[in-house]
Amino acid sequence: GGRTRLARRRQCYPLTTTAVLPLAEEDTALIYVQNAAGSVFGGDRLSVDIRLDEGAELCLSTPAATRLQGDVLSVQTTRISVARNGFLESVPDMIIPHAGACHHQITRLAMERDASAILLDSMAPGRVARGERHDYALVLLRLVVTCEGRDILIDGARFCPAEADPALAGALGEEGYVGTLFALSAQVDSVALAADIAASLDGTQGAFGGAAPLASGYGVVARFLAADAPALRAASHRAWDAARRRMRNRPAPVLRK
């Protein structure tokens, strides 16, 4: 038990992290990852490595949306390990790809026995206020999760408007704003957790989605679409809140942005 602390940190431009910020009435450490350049630019190769020791609790977020700029490929790779009884929450703000952007995001999570995690990703169709809607070249999102060295989840999403219009029915449709949440734990009732998250999404105005247990038995996946950025943020927070209440018996905090 006890409050989680930051034991070691190494960082270089453009990615930096804040000091540990407290969450009210919790031992969880809150840390924001910030991009001092203001955007991810074409040609960037960004790497984030995180290790949670036994029993550590970390909530990782960003202070604002992540903007993708430039027509040259950018890559961000994140590697996370969570030891026994550790709890990771990765809840960044949405990705906003600018016109022509080409980006790969690869996340690898290694969990030990009795570790748990909540992972959220969300994306806008572009700078809609500027008339950009699916004008990016490519956004690829890939997630690989292992537990005790065994694959329990491999997930990927590839958005390439030149090959297939994301606005088609059966893809993102007219909504265009998309989110995915994974709630990962071998100790949780996956059926009940999926029902909680689905109910939270049903009550979100301007958004719709669903949740289902993972075939591996290690938790739940939820996917949702929203009509605009406020609805996407609301759906993301409600899904996170439902997962957190079931997994930790605590509500999701409202993070400072």
Side-chain angles (χ1 to χ4, degrees):
R3 185 172 294 278
T4 297
R5 64 185 180 88
L6 181 62
R8 182 183 178 190
R9 173 173 60 181
R10 185 178 68 179
Q11 58 190 15
C12 63
Y13 182 86
L15 295 184
T16 63
T17 61
T18 63
V20 171
L21 303 172
L23 286 178
E25 301 180 0
E26 292 193 25
D27 293 329
T28 304
L30 169 62
I31 295 177
Y32 290 95
V33 178
Q34 305 170 111
N35 189 328
S39 295
V40 176
F41 291 96
D44 282 355
R45 296 293 185 269
L46 306 176
S47 179
V48 178
D49 291 275
I50 301 164
R51 189 184 77 187
L52 274 67
D53 290 340
E54 185 171 351
E57 301 175 1
L58 172 64
C59 180
L60 197 68
S61 189
T62 57
T66 297
R67 297 181 177 275
L68 310 176
Q69 296 192 47
D71 56 5
V72 177
L73 176 66
S74 59
V75 179
Q76 179 162 333
T77 303
T78 302
R79 302 176 188 85
I80 307 171
S81 64
V82 184
R84 290 188 60 188
N85 299 315
F87 202 107
L88 168 75
E89 296 169 273
S90 177
V91 287
D93 206 332
M94 71 183 72
I95 294 170
I96 303 178
H98 291 207
C102 183
H103 181 71
H104 289 182
Q105 176 179 291
I106 301 124
T107 303
R108 301 184 184 277
L109 170 61
M111 302 168 61
E112 292 187 9
R113 183 164 52 90
D114 299 330
S116 302
I118 297 173
L119 306 174
L120 171 70
D121 267 313
S122 58
M123 189 178 85
R127 296 184 296 177
V128 175
R130 290 180 172 239
E132 296 177 9
R133 196 173 184 90
H134 303 303
D135 289 340
Y136 50 87
L138 172 68
V139 176
L140 183 146
L141 309 174
R142 182 170 174 81
L143 171 66
V144 178
V145 182
T146 62
C147 184
E148 301 274 88
R150 181 172 69 89
D151 289 344
I152 61 169
L153 171 64
I154 299 175
D155 185 70
R158 187 174 188 272
F159 302 100
C160 183
E163 294 179 359
D165 185 358
L168 290 174
L172 303 183
E174 296 179 357
E175 285 73 21
Y177 292 79
V178 60
T180 299
L181 181 139
F182 288 101
L184 305 173
S185 175
Q187 290 77 50
V188 71
D189 181 338
S190 296
V191 174
L193 175 57
D196 288 350
I197 297 174
S200 75
L201 294 172
D202 285 343
T204 306
Q205 186 174 2
F208 64 93
L214 293 169
S216 64
Y218 277 84
V220 166
V221 56
R223 301 197 195 274
F224 42 94
L225 296 173
D228 53 32
L232 180 62
R233 288 193 172 100
S236 297
H237 192 270
R238 289 176 69 101
W240 177 30
D241 181 71
R244 212 174 195 266
R245 289 177 185 272
R246 173 65 62 171
M247 298 172 73
R248 309 198 67 187
N249 198 29
R250 303 171 187 170
V254 176
L255 300 180
R256 291 173 289 177
K257 298 290 184 177

